[in-house]
Amino acid sequence: QKEVEQDPGPLSVPEGAIVSLNCTYSNSAFQYFMWYRQYSRKGPELLMYTYSSGNKEDGRFTAQVDKSSKYISLFIRDSQPSDSATYLCAMSLNSGGSNYKLTFGKGTLLTVNP
Amino acid sequence: GAVVSQHPSRVICKSGTSVKIECRSLDFQATTMFWYRQFPKKSLMLMATSNEGSKATYEQGVEKDKFLINHASLTLSTLTVTSAHPEDSSFYICSAIPRGVVNEQFFGPGTRLTVL
């Protein structure tokens, strides 16, 4: 079993739809959970960062972490064509410094159609 | 925001040659930089952790003699792929943690390596 599982998609939705992206993980020691957005041939950029269980909202984006189920989600409201990208979940045991190693999911390719 | 650059963005080389990839933090100092590789439709896989002024720490299964990492200054880390082979063809991405920042890595734009 891989440490982090993420459905690679592709996922295609119409503009304005609510998008739900998910990851599951096996290592219960993960404490820090991130979502990154990666455009084609570019490096990832951080969208959301969450520590432990709970919800976090930032504009049209909401991140949820359920540590009991080892399940994290990213919701995108009112999706826009500019949201079309690959979304990667990432997790870490620790924060800061050289111990801040990230374990990534495969990424989900999202296309938002105008 | 914090900007990380990589050079070159794309390189094509012959089998058996060595290729150097640079990772620079443009507007901040980074005591720690990470090197990842990404295959098509695959996760980013951490290769090594690079700390300024000390030897890099490699992940299990990564050959340190093949992937030489040098973190010469607080703004520059280099990855040299020695005696490259076609199976080394991949997308190599670096990231950096600004000094004093706890919870975020800033990623470079990546380098596409193709070994013929």
Side-chain angles (χ1 to χ4, degrees):
Chain A
Q1 182 187 10
K2 292 184 179 179
E3 276 201 294
V4 179
E5 298 275 3
Q6 182 177 10
D7 185 344
L11 180 63
S12 182
V13 301
E15 184 175 354
I18 296 175
V19 176
S20 174
L21 303 166
N22 311 292
C23 288
T24 59
Y25 62 95
S26 58
N27 188 346
S28 58
F30 283 131
Q31 297 280 0
Y32 301 88
F33 304 90
M34 284 70 67
W35 285 95
Y36 284 84
R37 177 173 62 195
Q38 185 178 23
Y39 292 110
S40 181
R41 298 191 178 91
K42 301 290 185 183
E45 59 176 311
L46 182 66
L47 277 178
M48 300 288 285
Y49 170 92
T50 310
Y51 169 66
S52 197
S53 285
N55 294 358
K56 187 172 185 178
E57 188 173 321
D58 184 2
R60 296 184 295 110
F61 298 90
T62 300
Q64 289 185 350
V65 175
D66 182 348
K67 290 192 71 180
S68 62
S69 301
K70 299 191 187 72
Y71 187 88
I72 71 170
S73 301
L74 177 71
F75 297 96
I76 307 174
R77 291 184 300 279
D78 188 25
S79 56
Q80 303 295 310
S82 58
D83 294 329
S84 298
T86 296
Y87 289 80
L88 300 139
C89 63
M91 308 176 187
S92 177
L93 301 174
N94 303 295
S95 70
S98 57
N99 290 322
Y100 189 42
K101 297 181 181 181
L102 300 181
T103 301
F104 282 88
K106 281 187 179 180
T108 300
L109 177 60
L110 170 68
T111 302
V112 181
N113 301 300
Chain B
V3 179
V4 177
S5 71
Q6 281 185 242
H7 178 80
S9 59
R10 180 176 294 185
V11 58
I12 300 172
C13 68
K14 293 182 179 179
S15 186
T17 60
S18 294
V19 175
K20 180 184 282 188
I21 302 170
E22 292 185 348
C23 175
R24 292 183 186 272
S25 55
L26 296 186
D27 52 1
F28 65 95
Q29 293 184 330
T31 52
T32 301
M33 290 182 170
F34 299 92
W35 285 96
Y36 297 84
R37 64 188 299 182
Q38 186 177 32
F39 292 105
K41 299 182 180 179
K42 298 287 187 183
S43 305
L44 274 82
M45 298 296 296
L46 179 65
M47 299 175 65
T49 303
S50 169
N51 291 300
E52 188 267 337
S54 63
K55 290 184 178 180
T57 304
Y58 290 82
E59 295 300 302
Q60 191 173 9
V62 178
E63 300 175 61
K64 62 181 180 181
D65 293 331
K66 180 165 187 63
F67 299 99
L68 301 179
I69 292 172
N70 183 20
H71 196 147
S73 74
L74 288 171
T75 59
L76 173 64
S77 177
T78 60
L79 168 69
T80 301
V81 183
T82 62
S83 186
H85 291 282
E87 58 265 29
D88 298 323
S89 299
S90 188
F91 194 52
Y92 291 87
I93 305 177
C94 71
S95 70
I97 299 178
R99 180 183 271 180
V101 170
V102 176
N103 299 325
E104 187 166 359
Q105 295 182 26
F106 292 92
F107 285 82
T111 296
R112 173 76 58 191
L113 170 63
T114 302
V115 184
L116 302 175

